[in-house]
Amino acid sequence: LDSQYGTYAWPCAVVLAQYLWVHRRSLPGKRVLEVGAGVSLPGVVAAKCGAEVVLSDSEELPRCLQSCRRSCLANRLPHVPVLGLTWGRVSPELLALPPVDIILGSDVFFDPKDFEDILITIYFLLEKNPHAQFWTTYQVRSADWSIEALLCKWKLKSILVPLHSFSADKEHLAGSSLPGRHTIEMMIISLAQSDGT
């Protein structure tokens, strides 16, 4: 595998794209940012469903940014902006982002060393956009890997979304046998309320 994982459409992206498709009627006019977009399947689906989308991946991974651009062109979405945003880093690009309603991230919780940097970036975006939500899918790779303590530290809360609730628990979802054979989960992360909930 290429070290720049964003050059593949991973099963988590297929599951998140399915969630977007099932909720497509709520997307027109929504402002959506995809982080760690890679080939951008969820972001492309959101854009095709009428959302105003910005795609991003690490500024340090030019091939991933190029994958985002290629996906946009292949799907006749040349107007969708592609930005280099590195998790955990407050950059001019991050500061200049327009308001967002939904942040997307598929399989961004891949390497535990990145978990806090991801949540720092998500916390920053949610603080700027308190009504926004982070919709994320991830593959459970180890029972020892958890973001629960980090969610608490960064005053974030999560709600698990059962895959069967949006028909993503099928073994051959989008022609891939991986979602049904690997443990993929989806959660929605938002700011915790000031009362601790």
Side-chain angles (χ1 to χ4, degrees):
L1 290 178
D2 192 297
S3 62
Q4 297 191 32
Y5 300 112
T7 57
Y8 302 91
W10 296 98
C12 288
V14 176
V15 171
L16 187 54
Q18 172 73 7
Y19 187 79
L20 289 157
W21 180 249
V22 167
H23 293 90
R24 63 190 174 276
R25 287 181 184 85
S26 68
L27 292 175
K30 293 283 193 220
R31 298 162 301 185
V32 174
L33 169 68
E34 186 175 3
V35 296
V39 296
S40 316
L41 177 60
V44 165
V45 169
K48 288 289 194 176
C49 291
E52 299 171 25
V53 175
V54 174
L55 301 173
S56 70
D57 211 312
S58 175
E59 60 193 329
E60 299 166 0
L61 299 174
R63 288 185 57 205
C64 292
L65 292 169
Q66 190 56 36
S67 286
C68 293
R69 291 183 188 99
R70 276 196 304 272
S71 291
C72 289
L73 292 175
N75 288 282
R76 297 187 182 106
L77 297 167
H79 62 283
V80 172
V82 176
L83 301 177
L85 297 178
T86 300
W87 299 327
R89 184 180 303 159
V90 178
S91 63
E93 291 78 13
L94 182 65
L95 293 170
L97 276 174
V100 297
D101 301 303
I102 301 166
I103 305 156
L104 302 174
S106 66
D107 220 358
V108 295
F109 295 108
F110 178 80
D111 190 338
K113 73 176 177 52
D114 296 325
F115 289 4
E116 187 157 25
D117 284 342
I118 294 162
L119 289 175
I120 288 169
T121 300
I122 296 306
Y123 177 78
F124 176 85
L125 291 165
L126 293 176
E127 275 283 298
K128 276 182 67 173
N129 306 276
H131 67 282
Q133 295 180 328
F134 177 40
W135 297 359
T136 185
T137 51
Y138 59 96
Q139 184 172 333
V140 179
R141 290 181 171 87
S142 169
D144 298 331
W145 297 0
S146 174
I147 63 168
E148 292 304 317
L150 291 171
L151 290 173
C152 187
K153 176 181 177 179
W154 287 100
K155 298 177 179 60
L156 299 169
K157 65 178 179 178
S158 67
I159 298 169
L160 197 62
V161 180
L163 268 56
H164 68 82
S165 69
F166 58 101
S167 301
D169 57 342
K170 312 238 183 311
E171 185 172 327
H172 296 289
L173 182 64
S176 170
S177 61
L178 293 176
R181 295 186 182 165
H182 292 75
T183 304
I184 294 176
E185 295 188 358
M186 177 172 175
M187 70 170 72
I188 296 176
I189 297 173
S190 58
L191 290 176
Q193 302 300 319
S194 57
D195 64 359
T197 61

